[in-house]
Amino acid sequence: MTDTLHDRTETLRELLERQFGEHTDQLTELTLQSRQRDHGGHDPDTLRRLIEAAQQGIADTARALKRMSDGDYGVCEGCGQDIPTPRLEILPSARYCVPCQHRS
């Protein structure tokens, strides 16, 4: 049985929602660590970078979910062509196909 586009989109939506939850949990934990005297064992610069990465992950994932609900998900913002499904399976928040990603 082959997957339909709807099935793949639903699978990718579930993946994005799971990633959103993971990034949110990570940000919560890092924020708590930042309030500890020892910063949870991280030096302040590393902790700041980890927090920024978690925030970026939340933002990227939220934008991908918004594109999905708007019907623009999987379309390259550079060239307007469909982003190949294997790329979306690896990086579900991808905004660009590989050639356009390399150009930016």
Side-chain angles (χ1 to χ4, degrees):
M1 175 183 245
T2 59
D3 285 341
T4 64
L5 178 57
H6 175 75
D7 293 336
R8 287 192 304 266
T9 300
E10 196 54 39
T11 300
L12 290 167
R13 179 188 311 278
E14 291 169 6
L15 179 58
L16 284 165
E17 289 172 349
R18 187 170 53 250
Q19 285 182 349
F20 187 86
E22 290 169 359
H23 290 304
T24 301
D25 291 347
Q26 182 183 31
L27 181 58
T28 300
E29 180 63 29
L30 291 167
T31 301
L32 292 172
Q33 290 177 3
S34 73
R35 295 179 181 153
Q36 296 172 357
R37 172 173 278 184
D38 70 348
H39 300 289
H42 299 288
D43 69 81
D45 286 337
T46 299
L47 187 58
R48 180 182 49 80
R49 286 187 193 102
L50 290 170
I51 288 171
E52 289 171 356
Q55 290 170 329
Q56 187 66 51
I58 290 169
D60 291 346
T61 305
R63 281 193 295 268
L65 287 165
K66 172 97 170 74
R67 287 192 309 275
M68 196 172 272
S69 65
D70 291 346
D72 298 331
Y73 182 75
V75 177
C76 177
E77 292 180 14
C79 66
Q81 299 296 312
D82 288 345
I83 299 172
T85 301
R87 175 162 171 76
L88 292 171
E89 289 170 344
I90 293 168
L91 185 62
S93 61
R95 296 170 41 209
Y96 299 99
C97 64
V98 172
C100 288
Q101 183 71 48
H102 287 300
R103 284 193 286 270
S104 62

